[in-house]
Amino acid sequence: MGRHAEPSATRRARGDEGTALVELALVLPLLVLLVLGVLEYGRAWGESNTVIRAAEAAGRTAATQGPDRFADYNALQSVQASLASLGGSEIERVVIFRADSADGRVPQPCVDLPIADDLTTKGIPAQRCNVYSAAQVDFAGNVLTYFGNPTCTGNWDAAWCPTARSRGTDVTDPDFLGIYIKIRYEALTGIIGNPTADLTATSVFRLDPCITGVSCA
């Protein structure tokens, strides 16, 4: 018996399979990059929102406590708790400052101040800003050692002592307090954009004013 010719439909089907494999090989790298890009930017967006919420929570804490001696300490505890969920990102600095400019921005010298990631006192008295390193934010030692002096002398918050902050009254303006947080974001893959990036957030709150005849200690 003679051989029957293979149906043309079968030959076309096999040809289509080969074409599909070639197309997949061409498109797959682009799909992988797209997926990685979505993951990378989604993670960065989530970390950025975490930093924003941390600045708001810490600013609210410090502003509510006003001239309380441990206002900065409690604000740093709030920052530490809020940023505990960060992935590979690391805190670079936290600045607690008097927000007396029209736009409420952190003074640039406080952002640019070189700081070592250690437990030494940092800050700029002329700018009324206390600058804290990652080590200071993470430190869980004796609070009285670094925040115990009533006048703040030699303590971490000496540049703008909390006891010098004014709640104001119903006839005088209270201080505005700002929190600036800067973290270094570490990318998941490093193949899309820069492997690291700085993420920052600033929040500004007015200290709750005193009302005449009402204790505001």
Side-chain angles (χ1 to χ4, degrees):
M1 298 177 61
R3 297 180 59 189
H4 295 286
E6 185 178 18
S8 58
T10 302
R11 290 196 299 270
R12 285 197 301 269
R14 291 179 178 176
D16 290 343
E17 290 178 358
T19 301
L21 289 174
V22 172
E23 292 174 348
L24 179 61
L26 293 174
V27 173
L28 186 58
L30 298 178
L31 291 177
V32 171
L33 286 176
L34 178 62
V35 171
L36 291 176
V38 171
L39 290 174
E40 196 74 83
Y41 287 110
R43 180 172 180 264
W45 179 80
E47 302 262 288
S48 178
N49 280 342
T50 298
V51 176
I52 291 172
R53 290 193 298 269
E56 292 174 347
R60 191 177 298 109
T61 295
T64 300
Q65 296 188 359
D68 184 90
R69 178 64 193 85
F70 299 108
D72 274 25
Y73 170 78
N74 290 320
L76 293 180
Q77 294 296 302
S78 175
V79 170
Q80 184 184 36
S82 298
L83 298 183
S85 63
L86 287 179
S89 302
E90 297 181 353
I91 297 173
E92 289 198 343
R93 74 178 60 204
V94 175
V95 182
I96 299 179
F97 63 98
R98 182 177 180 182
D100 52 5
S101 63
D103 58 7
R105 297 185 64 181
V106 57
Q108 195 60 42
C110 307
V111 176
D112 297 335
L113 177 70
I115 60 171
D117 189 17
D118 56 24
L119 302 180
T120 60
T121 303
K122 306 167 181 68
I124 305 177
Q127 300 292 338
R128 285 177 288 193
C129 66
N130 300 318
V131 183
Y132 299 99
S133 68
Q136 289 170 313
V137 175
D138 292 338
F139 187 67
N142 185 354
V143 61
L144 297 179
T145 302
Y146 302 101
F147 295 94
N149 193 324
T151 64
C152 298
T153 303
N155 288 167
W156 288 350
D157 51 2
W160 188 34
C161 186
T163 58
R165 298 167 192 172
S166 174
R167 287 189 183 275
T169 66
D170 51 357
V171 293
T172 60
D173 294 330
D175 285 335
F176 283 80
L177 179 144
I179 301 282
Y180 169 87
I181 300 176
K182 179 180 179 181
I183 71 168
R184 173 59 58 90
Y185 173 77
E186 299 287 344
L188 282 171
T189 63
I191 64 173
I192 300 176
N194 295 327
T196 61
D198 291 332
L199 300 179
T200 64
T202 304
S203 69
V204 174
F205 289 84
R206 185 185 71 168
L207 272 63
D208 295 338
C210 294
I211 305 302
T212 301
V214 178
S215 174
C216 221

